[in-house]
Amino acid sequence: NHPHCVHFTEDIRDLAVIGKIKTLVDFVRMREPDAIINIWASLECTHFSKAKGGMARSADSRTLADHMLKYIEALDPHYLYIENVREFMSWGPLDANGKPISSDKGVDYERWKKSITKKGYKYDRRILNSADFGAYTSRERYFGIFAKKAWPIKFPKKTHSKRSKVSVTGLKPWKPVKDLLDLTDHGRSIFGLTKMNRPYSDNTIKRVLAGLNKFDKEGLFLTSYYGNGNAHSVEDPCNTLTTKERYAAHFIGR
C-alpha cells in the first residue's frame, strides 16, 4: 500500500533496528527541518484480546509496548500513536498459569503510560468504531495518542451512527455490508446437502431456522463459520473482518 516508503521487516525488540530507523529520521530532519516525526505502533493484540478467552497469555507479547520508550528516546518524535484492542487498557501482570491477575488489572498500562508522559508528552485516548466513520465493518479499537506538549491532540469526528440513533445524533446511518456483496451469486441450497458425508446436526438446523425466523423479511443474512454461529443482518456493517474467511451469506427462498 505504500510503495514509496522504506520498509524494515524486523523485530522491534532488536536494538539494531532503532539505529537503522534513526539514521533515516536524521536524514529526513536534515532535508526537511519542519518535518513532523510520528511513530505509529499497532502492537500485537492477541494476548490482550478477550477473543483469547480463558487461554494463557504470553507475557513477552504483552511487553511490546514497553519497547516504544526506546524508540521515543532515540527518535524524539512529535507524536506516538498506539492502536490495539480495548483490553489493552487492562494490561497487568500474569499469574503462574499465564492468566491475568484481576486485582492488578491495568497496573502495567498505567505504568507504561506514565513512563512516556515523563518524557515530556501529554496523552489522550479514545475507543473508536470504524463503522462510525463510514466503514462497512464495525471494528472497535483503542487509539492512544502521545504528543509533545506544544502539539495538539485531535481525534476524528464521527460521521455515522447506528440506524436506531440517527434521529438523535443527526449523523448518517451505518453503511450496510450488503452494498459490498455480490448478490447475483446464490450458491447452492443447503437442503439435500450433507457435511462430511453426514446429515447436518440438529443444532445446525436449529441455527439455520433461527436465522430464517429472524431475517425472513430481508431474504438475506450472514453467519460466521466459527464461534456460536449467530446471524447478522446485511443491513448493518459486518462484524470485524480479518484475512481469514469467516462469513457465509444465506439467501432465503431463492
Side-chain angles (χ1 to χ4, degrees), residues 11-195:
D11 187 335
I12 68 167
R13 296 165 292 187
D14 185 349
L15 295 179
V17 177
I18 300 178
K20 294 178 182 179
I21 297 177
K22 186 178 187 312
T23 299
L24 179 59
V25 170
D26 288 345
F27 176 73
V28 170
R29 279 194 165 115
M30 180 183 66
R31 290 188 56 182
E32 303 289 343
D34 295 327
I36 299 174
I37 305 301
N38 303 286
I39 296 178
W40 183 286
S42 292
L43 302 167
E44 183 181 10
C45 68
T46 304
H47 295 275
F48 288 111
S49 176
K50 61 184 178 182
K52 192 74 173 174
M55 299 175 64
R57 268 64 170 173
S58 166
D60 184 51
S61 169
R62 288 160 66 93
T63 61
L64 291 179
D66 277 329
H67 293 275
M68 292 299 99
L69 194 61
K70 299 175 183 176
Y71 284 79
I72 288 174
E73 293 170 347
L75 306 178
D76 190 30
H78 296 87
Y79 288 97
L80 168 65
Y81 299 87
I82 303 290
E83 177 262 336
N84 213 297
V85 292
R86 177 192 289 268
E87 297 82 62
F88 175 71
M89 294 184 292
S90 300
W91 176 21
L94 305 176
D95 63 20
N97 297 315
K99 305 293 181 65
I101 302 173
S102 58
S103 60
D104 290 333
K105 180 179 178 180
V107 168
D108 287 325
Y109 167 74
E110 292 297 332
R111 170 194 54 75
W112 164 80
K113 186 173 64 176
K114 290 178 182 178
S115 70
I116 296 177
T117 55
K118 285 181 179 179
K119 295 292 183 182
Y121 290 84
K122 55 187 177 182
Y123 170 78
D124 200 358
R125 57 89 178 170
R126 296 284 189 281
I127 300 296
L128 303 179
N129 189 328
S130 57
D132 290 338
F133 303 94
Y136 289 93
T137 174
S138 58
R139 188 183 183 97
E140 185 184 79
R141 288 295 182 268
Y142 152 92
F143 291 89
I145 301 178
F146 293 90
K148 287 200 168 184
K149 292 183 177 179
W151 292 79
I153 292 179
K154 293 185 178 182
F155 289 90
K157 293 182 178 180
K158 295 181 180 180
T159 57
H160 296 68
S161 65
K162 287 185 177 181
R163 293 178 183 277
S164 60
K165 296 182 179 180
V166 167
S167 61
V168 177
T169 63
L171 301 176
K172 299 176 182 178
W174 276 359
K175 291 184 176 181
V177 70
K178 70 177 182 180
D179 290 349
L180 301 182
L181 303 178
D182 179 5
L183 301 182
T184 63
D185 184 357
H186 294 173
R188 295 184 299 166
S189 172
I190 65 169
F191 298 104
L193 296 179
T194 59
K195 182 179 181 181

